[in-house]
Amino acid sequence: MKCAMCENEKSLKRERITVKYKDCGLDNVTLIGVTYYKCHECGEEYFSYGNIEHLHKIIAQVLLKKSGFLSGKEVRFLRKQLGYSGQMFSKLIGYENETLSRLENGKQPITPAFDRVIRFSVAERIHDRNYDLHDAILKGGEKFKRIELTSTPQGEWKLKLAA
Ligand SMILES: [Zn+2]
């Protein structure tokens, strides 16, 4: 690929790098094998995350079976995964818009009932799990602090670890 920002006519060199995927709104997701280009003339950087829809779906499936409660940031990530605005989502789950906003911002603690309504409303829309959500929750969920994914040569993503 060529630089879109300057007159540099040379093809940019492609690299595979590891990044903290903060763009998704979560602090603990690492992507291994992101395609990266940097223009040596103007310094412009280009990142290619491959199939983002697939990537976010895998992250969502990991979050749904997490032990303990979801964090506000995780709730926001899952809501966005459904394509809902805060207003639409709060209407769907029967909460005030401002309450949802406080919960997402971490200004109000997540309650067990809220945690479950989020998980089930998300799970109802996002399928293709390789586990049963009810079983996972009844068994106490999975403990993890960070999520790592690796890219495949086809531009898809694979869960490496949730630990
Ligand atoms: Zn450039």
Side-chain angles (χ1 to χ4, degrees), residues 16 21 31 33-35 47-55 151-152 154-157:
R16 296 278 189 172
Y21 189 36
L31 301 180
V34 170
T35 305
F47 295 87
S48 169
Y49 294 110
N51 187 341
I52 290 187
E53 196 185 327
H54 180 232
L55 170 62
S151 68
T152 71
Q154 295 77 32
E156 301 287 311
W157 289 92

Side-chain angles (χ1 to χ4, degrees):
M1 93 173 228
K2 297 213 165 123
C3 183
M5 299 303 284
C6 73
E7 303 287 301
N8 181 10
E9 284 297 317
K10 281 191 206 152
S11 274
L12 305 182
K13 201 176 127 213
R14 190 172 86 153
E15 287 177 62
R16 296 278 189 172
I17 60 166
T18 296
V19 297
K20 279 264 181 203
Y21 189 36
K22 295 218 170 163
D23 287 355
C24 73
L26 303 171
D27 301 322
N28 60 345
V29 178
T30 302
L31 301 180
I32 300 160
V34 170
T35 305
Y36 169 79
Y37 302 88
K38 182 171 182 178
C39 175
H40 294 288
E41 292 297 322
C42 71
E44 185 69 14
E45 295 180 305
Y46 301 89
F47 295 87
S48 169
Y49 294 110
N51 187 341
I52 290 187
E53 196 185 327
H54 180 232
L55 170 62
H56 285 194
K57 207 175 250 183
I58 298 174
I59 297 171
Q61 298 297 15
V62 173
L63 295 180
L64 287 181
K65 63 174 171 179
K66 147 183 176 158
S67 70
F69 298 154
L70 296 166
S71 71
K73 285 179 179 177
E74 289 166 343
V75 170
R76 181 184 290 127
F77 175 85
L78 291 170
R79 166 174 66 76
K80 288 188 172 173
Q81 212 28 45
L82 298 181
Y84 286 133
S85 67
Q87 207 157 19
M88 281 167 77
F89 196 53
S90 51
K91 188 173 177 185
L92 177 76
I93 61 176
Y95 277 71
E96 292 294 327
N97 192 16
E98 281 160 26
T99 309
L100 175 67
S101 164
R102 280 199 302 275
L103 288 157
E104 286 189 352
N105 291 325
K107 288 179 181 155
Q108 190 170 322
I110 309 278
T111 61
F114 179 78
D115 178 274
R116 295 303 185 263
V117 82
I118 298 296
R119 291 188 203 228
F120 292 129
S121 55
V122 171
E124 206 266 329
R125 277 292 169 87
I126 298 177
H127 307 109
D128 307 326
R129 267 181 295 286
N130 60 0
Y131 63 90
D132 184 286
L133 182 59
H134 291 196
D135 282 351
I137 291 175
L138 289 170
K139 284 177 187 153
E142 286 180 18
K143 271 200 181 78
F144 60 86
K145 285 207 173 76
R146 59 199 175 91
I147 301 171
E148 285 182 17
L149 300 107
T150 47
S151 68
T152 71
Q154 295 77 32
E156 301 287 311
W157 289 92
K158 207 169 69 191
L159 181 67
K160 187 181 173 214
L161 70 86

